[in-house]
Protein backbone atom coordinates (compact mmCIF):
# COMPACT_ATOMS: atom_id res chain seq x y z
CA UNK A 1 0.00 0.00 0.00
CA UNK A 2 1.36 3.44 -0.89
CA UNK A 3 1.98 5.76 2.04
CA UNK A 4 -0.41 8.33 0.54
CA UNK A 5 -3.28 5.83 0.90
CA UNK A 6 -2.30 4.33 4.27
CA UNK A 7 -5.23 4.08 6.66
CA UNK A 8 -5.18 6.11 9.84
CA UNK A 9 -3.80 4.46 12.95
CA UNK A 10 -3.42 5.81 16.47
CA UNK A 11 -0.16 7.10 17.95
CA UNK A 12 0.84 7.25 21.58
CA UNK A 13 3.72 6.86 24.02
CA UNK A 14 4.06 4.64 27.08
CA UNK A 15 6.81 3.85 29.60
CA UNK A 16 8.88 0.80 28.68
CA UNK A 17 11.96 -0.90 30.05
CA UNK A 18 14.89 -2.92 28.88
CA UNK A 19 15.42 -5.05 31.97
CA UNK A 20 18.94 -5.19 33.33
CA UNK A 21 20.29 -8.32 34.90
CA UNK A 22 23.15 -10.41 36.19
CA UNK A 23 23.76 -13.11 33.59
CA UNK A 24 24.85 -16.67 34.27
CA UNK A 25 28.06 -16.21 32.28
CA UNK A 26 29.20 -13.51 34.71
CA UNK A 27 28.21 -10.62 32.47
CA UNK A 28 25.71 -7.86 33.03
CA UNK A 29 22.85 -6.41 31.02
CA UNK A 30 22.29 -2.67 31.44
CA UNK A 31 18.93 -1.37 32.69
CA UNK A 32 17.30 1.25 30.40
CA UNK A 33 14.03 3.14 30.83
CA UNK A 34 12.48 4.66 27.73
CA UNK A 35 9.22 5.62 26.08
CA UNK A 36 7.94 3.20 23.47
CA UNK A 37 5.78 4.12 20.50
CA UNK A 38 2.25 2.76 20.86
CA UNK A 39 0.83 2.19 17.40
CA UNK A 40 -2.79 1.12 17.17
CA UNK A 41 -2.75 0.34 20.89
CA UNK A 42 0.27 -1.98 20.77
CA UNK A 43 3.99 -1.36 21.39
CA UNK A 44 5.71 -0.96 18.04
CA UNK A 45 8.76 -2.76 19.41
CA UNK A 46 6.74 -5.98 19.72
CA UNK A 47 6.24 -6.06 15.94
CA UNK A 48 10.00 -6.25 15.36
CA UNK A 49 10.63 -9.91 16.23
CA UNK A 50 12.64 -10.19 19.46
CA UNK A 51 14.69 -7.03 19.04
CA UNK A 52 16.81 -5.93 22.00
CA UNK A 53 16.64 -2.16 21.53
CA UNK A 54 15.34 1.09 22.99
CA UNK A 55 13.72 4.13 21.42
CA UNK A 56 15.58 7.47 21.22
CA UNK A 57 13.29 8.71 24.01
CA UNK A 58 15.36 7.23 26.82
CA UNK A 59 14.96 8.75 30.27
CA UNK A 60 18.64 8.49 31.22
CA UNK A 61 19.97 10.76 28.47
CA UNK A 62 20.71 14.42 29.30
CA UNK A 63 17.68 16.74 29.06
CA UNK A 64 19.11 18.62 26.08
CA UNK A 65 19.54 15.38 24.10
CA UNK A 66 16.06 14.17 25.09
CA UNK A 67 14.56 17.47 23.92
CA UNK A 68 16.51 17.30 20.65
CA UNK A 69 15.17 13.78 20.00
CA UNK A 70 11.58 14.91 20.61
CA UNK A 71 11.94 17.92 18.31
CA UNK A 72 13.49 15.69 15.67
CA UNK A 73 10.46 13.36 15.73
CA UNK A 74 8.28 16.47 15.51
CA UNK A 75 10.10 17.18 12.23
CA UNK A 76 11.39 20.49 13.58
CA UNK A 77 14.95 19.64 12.53
CA UNK A 78 16.47 17.88 9.51
CA UNK A 79 16.47 14.08 9.46
CA UNK A 80 19.70 12.66 10.93
CA UNK A 81 20.10 10.14 8.08
CA UNK A 82 19.81 10.47 4.28
CA UNK A 83 16.39 10.02 2.68
CA UNK A 84 14.41 11.52 5.59
CA UNK A 85 15.28 8.52 7.75
CA UNK A 86 15.09 8.62 11.54
CA UNK A 87 16.30 6.13 14.14
CA UNK A 88 13.26 4.53 15.75
CA UNK A 89 15.10 1.95 17.90
CA UNK A 90 18.81 1.69 18.69
CA UNK A 91 21.34 -0.35 20.66
CA UNK A 92 20.54 -0.26 24.39
CA UNK A 93 24.21 -0.48 25.38
CA UNK A 94 25.87 2.21 23.25
CA UNK A 95 23.30 3.62 20.76
CA UNK A 96 25.93 3.45 18.00
CA UNK A 97 24.47 3.07 14.49
CA UNK A 98 27.25 0.58 13.72
CA UNK A 99 25.63 -1.83 16.21
CA UNK A 100 22.46 -1.69 14.16
CA UNK A 101 19.27 0.31 14.42
CA UNK A 102 15.70 0.27 13.16
CA UNK A 103 15.08 3.32 11.01
CA UNK A 104 12.04 4.66 9.18
CA UNK A 105 11.21 7.40 6.74
CA UNK A 106 9.18 10.03 8.59
CA UNK A 107 7.53 12.73 6.51
CA UNK A 108 4.57 15.11 6.76
CA UNK A 109 1.62 14.63 4.45
CA UNK A 110 -0.51 17.73 4.82
CA UNK A 111 -1.48 17.82 8.50
CA UNK A 112 -0.75 14.10 8.89
CA UNK A 113 2.55 12.35 9.61
CA UNK A 114 3.63 9.19 7.76
CA UNK A 115 6.05 6.53 9.06
CA UNK A 116 7.11 4.09 6.34
CA UNK A 117 9.93 1.98 4.85
CA UNK A 118 11.14 0.48 8.13
CA UNK A 119 14.59 -1.09 7.85
CA UNK A 120 17.51 -2.50 9.83
CA UNK A 121 20.46 -0.19 9.27
CA UNK A 122 24.16 -0.33 10.23
CA UNK A 123 25.51 2.63 8.25
CA UNK A 124 24.19 5.83 6.70
CA UNK A 125 22.28 4.14 3.88
CA UNK A 126 19.42 1.65 4.25
CA UNK A 127 19.03 -1.35 1.92
CA UNK A 128 15.28 -1.96 1.81
CA UNK A 129 15.60 -5.04 -0.42
CA UNK A 130 17.88 -6.89 1.99
CA UNK A 131 17.07 -5.36 5.37
CA UNK A 132 13.58 -3.89 5.08
CA UNK A 133 10.75 -4.77 7.47
CA UNK A 134 8.31 -5.39 4.66
CA UNK A 135 5.34 -6.35 6.84
CA UNK A 136 5.40 -3.22 8.99
CA UNK A 137 3.72 0.05 7.99
CA UNK A 138 3.17 2.40 6.43
CA UNK A 139 1.45 4.18 9.32
CA UNK A 140 -0.56 7.37 8.91
CA UNK A 141 -0.97 9.36 12.14
CA UNK A 142 -3.32 12.27 12.61
CA UNK A 143 -1.09 15.28 13.01
CA UNK A 144 -2.85 16.67 16.06
CA UNK A 145 -2.66 13.41 18.01
CA UNK A 146 0.95 12.81 16.95
CA UNK A 147 2.18 16.27 17.87
CA UNK A 148 0.23 16.39 21.13
CA UNK A 149 1.82 13.15 22.39
CA UNK A 150 5.35 14.35 21.64
CA UNK A 151 4.87 17.99 22.63
CA UNK A 152 3.64 16.87 26.06
CA UNK A 153 7.17 15.59 26.72
CA UNK A 154 8.53 19.11 26.27
CA UNK A 155 6.10 20.37 28.90
CA UNK A 156 7.48 18.17 31.66
CA UNK A 157 5.19 15.22 31.04
CA UNK A 158 7.98 12.68 30.59
CA UNK A 159 7.68 10.00 33.30
CA UNK A 160 10.17 9.97 36.16
CA UNK A 161 11.68 6.46 36.18
CA UNK A 162 13.02 6.70 39.75
CA UNK A 163 15.80 4.23 39.01
CA UNK A 164 16.94 4.01 42.61
CA UNK A 165 16.12 1.42 45.26
CA UNK A 166 16.38 1.28 49.04
CA UNK A 167 17.73 -2.00 50.44
CA UNK A 168 16.58 -2.93 53.95
CA UNK A 169 17.97 -5.87 55.91
CA UNK A 170 20.44 -7.23 58.42
CA UNK A 171 22.60 -9.32 56.06
CA UNK A 172 24.91 -6.47 55.08
CA UNK A 173 27.24 -8.67 53.02
CA UNK A 174 24.41 -9.83 50.75
CA UNK A 175 22.99 -6.32 50.44
CA UNK A 176 26.42 -4.91 49.60
CA UNK A 177 26.82 -7.43 46.77
CA UNK A 178 23.30 -6.66 45.59
CA UNK A 179 23.93 -2.90 45.63
CA UNK A 180 27.15 -3.37 43.65
CA UNK A 181 25.36 -5.48 41.04
CA UNK A 182 22.53 -2.93 40.72
CA UNK A 183 24.94 -0.05 40.26
CA UNK A 184 26.77 -2.01 37.58
CA UNK A 185 23.59 -2.33 35.51
CA UNK A 186 22.65 1.32 36.02
CA UNK A 187 20.29 1.20 39.01
CA UNK A 188 21.20 3.24 42.08
CA UNK A 189 21.01 1.53 45.48
CA UNK A 190 21.28 2.60 49.12
CA UNK A 191 21.48 0.30 52.16
CA UNK A 192 19.75 1.07 55.46
CA UNK A 193 18.34 -0.66 58.53
CA UNK A 194 15.16 1.43 58.42
CA UNK A 195 13.64 4.60 56.93
CA UNK A 196 13.11 6.50 60.19
CA UNK A 197 14.02 10.16 59.97
CA UNK A 198 14.64 10.11 56.20
CA UNK A 199 13.24 13.34 54.67
CA UNK A 200 10.29 12.95 52.33
CA UNK A 201 12.26 14.53 49.48
CA UNK A 202 14.82 11.75 49.73
CA UNK A 203 12.17 9.02 49.89
CA UNK A 204 10.65 10.38 46.67
CA UNK A 205 13.81 9.39 44.82
CA UNK A 206 13.18 5.66 45.31
CA UNK A 207 11.23 3.48 42.92
CA UNK A 208 11.33 0.37 45.11
CA UNK A 209 12.09 -0.79 48.63
CA UNK A 210 13.71 -4.21 48.90
CA UNK A 211 13.40 -6.25 52.08
CA UNK A 212 16.18 -8.77 52.39
CA UNK A 213 15.28 -12.36 53.35
CA UNK A 214 14.90 -12.59 57.11
CA UNK A 215 13.77 -8.98 57.65
CA UNK A 216 11.26 -8.99 60.53
CA UNK A 217 7.67 -8.01 59.77
CA UNK A 218 7.84 -5.22 62.37
CA UNK A 219 10.73 -3.64 60.49
CA UNK A 220 8.93 -4.03 57.15
CA UNK A 221 5.80 -2.37 58.54
CA UNK A 222 7.83 0.57 59.92
CA UNK A 223 9.40 1.20 56.51
CA UNK A 224 6.02 1.04 54.79
CA UNK A 225 4.62 3.59 57.26
CA UNK A 226 7.54 5.95 56.60
CA UNK A 227 6.75 6.00 52.87
CA UNK A 228 3.02 6.33 53.54
CA UNK A 229 3.61 9.35 55.82
CA UNK A 230 5.70 10.92 53.07
CA UNK A 231 2.91 10.11 50.56
CA UNK A 232 5.40 8.37 48.30
CA UNK A 233 3.97 5.41 46.35
CA UNK A 234 6.70 2.83 46.06
CA UNK A 235 6.97 -0.82 45.04
CA UNK A 236 7.82 -3.26 47.83
CA UNK A 237 9.98 -6.29 47.09
CA UNK A 238 10.18 -9.24 49.47
CA UNK A 239 13.43 -10.97 48.63
CA UNK A 240 12.87 -14.64 47.82
CA UNK A 241 16.37 -15.78 48.77
CA UNK A 242 19.87 -14.32 49.33
CA UNK A 243 20.85 -14.88 45.69
CA UNK A 244 21.97 -11.70 43.92
CA UNK A 245 20.79 -12.50 40.34
CA UNK A 246 17.41 -13.59 41.70
CA UNK A 247 17.02 -10.41 43.75
CA UNK A 248 18.05 -8.28 40.77
CA UNK A 249 15.33 -9.94 38.70
CA UNK A 250 12.72 -9.19 41.39
CA UNK A 251 13.85 -5.56 41.54
CA UNK A 252 13.76 -5.17 37.75
CA UNK A 253 10.15 -6.37 37.75
CA UNK A 254 9.28 -3.89 40.52
CA UNK A 255 10.84 -1.00 38.58
CA UNK A 256 8.86 -1.78 35.42
CA UNK A 257 6.58 1.22 34.78
CA UNK A 258 5.12 -0.09 31.53
CA UNK A 259 1.34 -0.64 31.54
CA UNK A 260 0.51 -4.22 32.53
CA UNK A 261 -1.48 -4.77 29.35
CA UNK A 262 1.53 -3.87 27.20
CA UNK A 263 4.12 -6.22 28.69
CA UNK A 264 5.59 -9.13 26.80
CA UNK A 265 5.94 -11.58 29.73
CA UNK A 266 2.82 -11.63 31.90
CA UNK A 267 2.82 -14.80 34.03
CA UNK A 268 5.23 -17.32 35.58
CA UNK A 269 4.60 -20.21 37.98
CA UNK A 270 6.70 -23.31 38.57
CA UNK A 271 6.51 -26.66 40.32
CA UNK A 272 8.89 -29.57 40.61
CA UNK A 273 8.22 -30.77 37.07
CA UNK A 274 8.09 -27.61 35.00
CA UNK A 275 6.99 -24.04 34.51
CA UNK A 276 3.92 -22.25 33.17
CA UNK A 277 4.65 -19.01 31.33
CA UNK A 278 2.53 -16.59 29.35
CA UNK A 279 3.76 -14.19 26.67
CA UNK A 280 1.80 -11.66 24.62
CA UNK A 281 3.93 -11.65 21.46
CA UNK A 282 6.38 -13.94 19.70
CA UNK A 283 9.67 -13.72 21.60
CA UNK A 284 12.70 -15.59 22.85
CA UNK A 285 12.38 -16.70 26.45
CA UNK A 286 15.06 -18.01 28.80
CA UNK A 287 14.55 -19.81 32.11
CA UNK A 288 17.22 -19.98 34.81
CA UNK A 289 16.90 -21.93 38.06
CA UNK A 290 18.66 -21.06 41.31
CA UNK A 291 18.72 -23.95 43.81
CA UNK A 292 19.99 -23.65 47.38
CA UNK A 293 21.30 -26.89 48.87
CA UNK A 294 21.43 -27.98 52.50
CA UNK A 295 24.82 -26.30 52.93
CA UNK A 296 23.37 -22.98 51.72
CA UNK A 297 25.30 -23.17 48.47
CA UNK A 298 23.64 -21.79 45.34
CA UNK A 299 23.51 -23.88 42.16
CA UNK A 300 22.58 -22.21 38.86
CA UNK A 301 21.00 -24.06 35.94
CA UNK A 302 20.07 -22.69 32.51
CA UNK A 303 16.96 -24.73 31.73
CA UNK A 304 15.36 -23.28 28.62
CA UNK A 305 16.15 -20.85 25.81
CA UNK A 306 13.76 -20.78 22.88
CA UNK A 307 11.18 -18.86 20.90
CA UNK A 308 7.58 -18.97 22.04
CA UNK A 309 4.41 -17.93 20.24
CA UNK A 310 1.84 -15.72 22.00
CA UNK A 311 -0.15 -17.55 24.66
CA UNK A 312 0.32 -19.74 27.72
CA UNK A 313 2.91 -22.51 27.64
CA UNK A 314 3.77 -25.45 29.87
CA UNK A 315 7.52 -26.15 29.75
CA UNK A 316 8.85 -29.43 31.13
CA UNK A 317 12.10 -28.90 33.06
CA UNK A 318 14.77 -31.05 34.69
CA UNK A 319 13.37 -32.01 38.13
CA UNK A 320 16.88 -32.29 39.60
CA UNK A 321 17.43 -28.57 39.03
CA UNK A 322 14.19 -27.71 40.85
CA UNK A 323 14.33 -29.91 43.93
CA UNK A 324 14.36 -28.44 47.42
CA UNK A 325 14.57 -24.67 47.88
CA UNK A 326 14.68 -23.44 44.30
CA UNK A 327 13.63 -20.40 42.33
CA UNK A 328 13.04 -19.65 38.68
CA UNK A 329 13.75 -16.50 36.64
CA UNK A 330 12.09 -16.03 33.25
CA UNK A 331 13.46 -13.38 30.92
CA UNK A 332 12.43 -12.00 27.55
CA UNK A 333 13.59 -8.87 25.81
CA UNK A 334 12.44 -6.10 28.12
CA UNK A 335 10.62 -8.28 30.68
CA UNK A 336 11.60 -10.43 33.62
CA UNK A 337 9.71 -12.44 36.26
CA UNK A 338 10.86 -14.50 39.24
CA UNK A 339 9.06 -17.07 41.34
CA UNK A 340 9.64 -19.69 44.01
CA UNK A 341 9.22 -23.29 42.88
CA UNK A 342 6.37 -25.05 44.64
CA UNK A 343 6.48 -28.77 45.33
CA UNK A 344 3.74 -31.33 45.60
CA UNK A 345 1.61 -29.55 43.01
CA UNK A 346 2.75 -31.12 39.78
CA UNK A 347 0.40 -30.78 36.80
Amino acid sequence: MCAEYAEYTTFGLAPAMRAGGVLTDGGYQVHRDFLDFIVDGRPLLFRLSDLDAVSPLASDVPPAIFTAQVRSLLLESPAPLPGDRYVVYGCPECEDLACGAVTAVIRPDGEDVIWRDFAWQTDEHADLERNGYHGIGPFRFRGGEYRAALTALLNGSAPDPRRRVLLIGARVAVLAKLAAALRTIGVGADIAHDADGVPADELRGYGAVVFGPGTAERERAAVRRAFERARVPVAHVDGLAPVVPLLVAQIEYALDRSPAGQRRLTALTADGAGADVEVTSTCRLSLTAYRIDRLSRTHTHDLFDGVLEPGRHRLALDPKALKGASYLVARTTGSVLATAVTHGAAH
Side-chain angles (χ1 to χ4, degrees):
M1 180 185 296
C2 294
E4 289 77 6
Y5 299 103
E7 295 181 0
Y8 281 110
T9 189
T10 59
F11 178 87
L13 299 166
M17 182 182 77
R18 190 263 194 155
V22 180
L23 307 180
T24 56
D25 62 3
Y28 294 87
Q29 182 167 291
V30 174
H31 174 109
R32 299 292 304 277
D33 292 291
F34 64 99
L35 290 168
D36 200 2
F37 307 109
I38 307 301
V39 177
D40 213 13
R42 184 167 178 249
L44 179 59
L45 186 59
F46 288 9
R47 303 176 188 235
L48 300 168
S49 301
D50 198 35
L51 186 67
D52 184 14
V54 299
S55 83
L57 303 178
S59 61
D60 55 353
V61 299
I65 294 178
F66 184 90
T67 298
Q69 295 286 10
V70 174
R71 294 200 179 281
S72 178
L73 292 170
L74 284 167
L75 308 180
E76 295 179 3
S77 57
L81 297 169
D84 292 334
R85 300 197 74 84
Y86 293 76
V87 173
V88 179
Y89 296 106
C91 173
E93 300 285 348
C94 67
E95 300 180 47
D96 190 334
L97 183 61
C99 291
V102 176
T103 67
V105 173
I106 302 180
R107 288 176 179 160
D109 185 19
E111 287 296 310
D112 301 334
V113 177
I114 304 289
W115 285 26
R116 63 177 175 82
D117 297 340
F118 288 81
W120 178 253
Q121 196 166 340
T122 56
D123 55 37
E124 283 202 345
H125 299 281
D127 186 336
L128 289 178
E129 284 296 320
R130 295 181 57 188
N131 299 315
Y133 288 96
H134 302 292
I136 298 177
F139 301 119
R140 176 182 290 273
F141 305 118
R142 289 180 171 84
E145 180 183 59
Y146 180 87
R147 285 183 281 274
L150 290 166
T151 302
L153 303 179
L154 303 176
N155 300 328
S157 298
D160 176 10
R162 289 196 291 164
R163 295 167 54 241
R164 195 165 193 84
V165 298
L166 181 62
L167 310 179
I168 303 290
R171 304 182 69 166
V172 178
V174 173
L175 296 183
K177 291 179 181 178
L178 175 58
L182 289 169
R183 291 165 188 153
T184 298
I185 67 173
V187 176
D190 298 315
I191 301 173
H193 289 292
D194 54 52
D196 292 342
V198 179
D201 285 346
E202 290 187 28
L203 293 180
R204 290 191 187 96
Y206 295 110
V209 177
V210 183
F211 298 109
T215 305
E217 180 53 39
R218 182 175 60 182
E219 296 168 341
R220 296 169 189 249
V223 171
R224 293 190 184 98
R225 285 195 299 271
F227 277 90
E228 289 170 0
R229 285 195 300 268
R231 297 182 179 179
V232 177
V234 67
H236 295 92
V237 179
D238 293 317
L240 290 171
V243 178
V244 169
L246 175 67
L247 294 170
V248 169
Q250 288 189 264
I251 292 167
E252 283 294 314
Y253 174 77
L255 292 176
D256 192 348
R257 302 291 184 217
S258 61
Q262 294 173 359
R263 297 184 186 183
R264 181 167 262 161
L265 175 61
T266 56
L268 170 68
T269 57
D271 55 46
D276 291 289
V277 298
E278 186 169 6
V279 296
T280 59
S281 64
T282 301
C283 60
R284 180 173 294 278
L285 178 125
S286 65
L287 290 175
T288 303
Y290 299 92
R291 182 175 63 84
I292 301 176
D293 66 19
R294 283 178 284 185
L295 298 178
S296 298
R297 297 172 299 191
T298 300
H299 303 266
T300 304
H301 304 273
D302 291 321
L303 299 180
F304 179 84
D305 186 358
V307 175
L308 298 180
E309 296 296 318
R312 192 168 184 87
H313 302 266
R314 173 68 176 176
L315 303 175
L317 303 175
D318 181 2
K320 294 180 180 178
L322 302 177
K323 65 181 181 181
S326 53
Y327 309 87
L328 202 62
V329 172
R331 183 180 293 275
T332 68
T333 302
S335 302
V336 63
L337 281 175
T339 187
V341 177
T342 61
H343 295 279
H347 289 222

